[in-house]
Amino acid sequence: EADIYQTPRYLVIGTGKKITLECSQTMGHDKMYWYQQDPGMELHLIHYSYGVNSTEKGDLSSESTVSRIRTEHFPLTLESARPSHTSQYLCASSDPTGNREKLFFGSGTQLSVL
Amino acid sequence: KNQVEQSPQSLIILEGKNCTLQCNYTVSPFSNLRWYKQDTGRGPVSLTIMTFSENTKSNGRYTATLDADTKQSSLHITASQLSDSASYICVVSDRGSTLGRLYFGRGTQLTVWP
């Protein structure tokens, strides 16, 4: 069982609200990621970090922002939520072992914006 | 264009039966191929990771095969159980890329009936 935690599990909010999705891991991994997943669709990378004070945008354009002040913590923030942000958000971290770098996922946050 | 295609999109089998899921990819160059299991409302969990030189990998009742020449992989599940009901996702990594640039399939939704 991976030690990576996401809160909240479910969130229903109104349009225009600011929200922060929390992600923490206790494995000491430097690399962390945020993915977005819609039902029946593939995961899309929206942000990643290779360590403290390192953040990069992923392949999918996103209006969210991230921060990495501590190794174990990688929160994602939406300044003004819209219905188009409704989706499942998955946080992950990786254990670098050469070509077999293993990815550990949290349980996800299901976000619904009304 | 780098892509990962999975088939079938969904599959229903009876408990105790075997099944095989397919993954075709066009990702090049190739580094490794991973199979993940994702239970409904949860994050994906790694089943197998195979590099270019490996053509089969087992994890309990799960056996993955890889043909790097034809760019095809399969996941065989033996003696299925109700707990095998989940989405199975094929993920391909290209050589030299950051782990954050994985290519995800849309998954095969497997349902096991008693």
Side-chain angles (χ1 to χ4, degrees):
Chain A
E1 192 78 18
D3 296 319
I4 180 164
Y5 308 100
Q6 290 187 243
T7 57
R9 285 293 313 278
Y10 304 94
L11 181 61
V12 181
I13 60 167
T15 297
K17 299 293 185 184
K18 177 180 178 179
I19 60 167
T20 296
L21 308 185
E22 300 289 346
C23 176
S24 295
Q25 50 96 3
T26 58
M27 297 173 282
H29 292 167
D30 287 325
K31 296 183 179 181
M32 296 189 73
Y33 313 84
W34 276 103
Y35 288 91
Q36 187 173 341
Q37 184 182 31
D38 293 318
M41 301 297 287
E42 63 267 46
L43 276 71
H44 290 286
L45 180 69
I46 50 175
H47 295 284
Y48 61 99
S49 167
Y50 284 168
V52 172
N53 295 325
S54 151
T55 62
E56 300 287 345
K57 288 188 179 294
D59 301 318
L60 183 68
S61 174
S62 173
E63 294 161 341
S64 58
T65 59
V66 292
S67 63
R68 191 86 183 277
I69 299 173
R70 304 197 314 268
T71 297
E72 61 271 22
H73 195 213
F74 191 40
L76 181 145
T77 298
L78 276 167
E79 290 293 332
S80 179
R82 297 208 299 268
S84 60
H85 295 139
T86 295
S87 187
Q88 183 179 39
Y89 292 84
L90 289 164
C91 180
S93 70
S94 66
D95 175 19
T97 50
N99 206 18
R100 298 178 186 275
E101 192 161 345
K102 201 169 181 181
L103 204 58
F104 297 91
F105 285 90
S107 293
T109 293
Q110 181 61 52
L111 173 65
S112 296
V113 183
L114 306 179
Chain B
K1 182 181 178 183
N2 289 324
Q3 285 185 310
V4 177
E5 301 286 344
Q6 292 187 244
S7 62
Q9 185 176 350
S10 61
L11 180 62
I12 299 174
I13 62 173
L14 294 177
E15 188 178 14
K17 298 296 185 183
N18 303 335
C19 68
T20 300
L21 314 180
Q22 300 290 342
C23 174
N24 296 337
Y25 61 93
T26 59
V27 177
S28 181
F30 172 84
S31 176
N32 59 67
L33 184 145
R34 306 149 185 263
W35 282 95
Y36 283 86
K37 178 187 179 187
Q38 185 176 23
D39 292 317
T40 301
R42 312 290 294 189
V45 175
S46 178
L47 293 176
T48 62
I49 301 174
M50 288 184 293
T51 61
F52 184 88
S53 60
E54 298 171 304
N55 55 25
T56 187
K57 202 76 172 289
S58 291
N59 178 0
R61 295 180 294 103
Y62 301 102
T63 299
T65 64
L66 173 65
D67 186 336
D69 292 330
T70 62
K71 299 188 177 181
Q72 296 179 325
S73 176
S74 65
L75 180 69
H76 186 74
I77 304 175
T78 304
S80 61
Q81 300 175 358
L82 298 179
S83 59
D84 292 331
S85 294
S87 178
Y88 291 84
I89 302 172
C90 178
V91 187
V92 180
S93 175
D94 60 357
R95 186 169 38 216
S97 73
T98 63
L99 181 64
R101 295 190 179 275
L102 297 171
Y103 297 90
F104 288 81
R106 293 185 177 185
T108 291
Q109 183 65 49
L110 175 66
T111 303
V112 181
W113 283 2

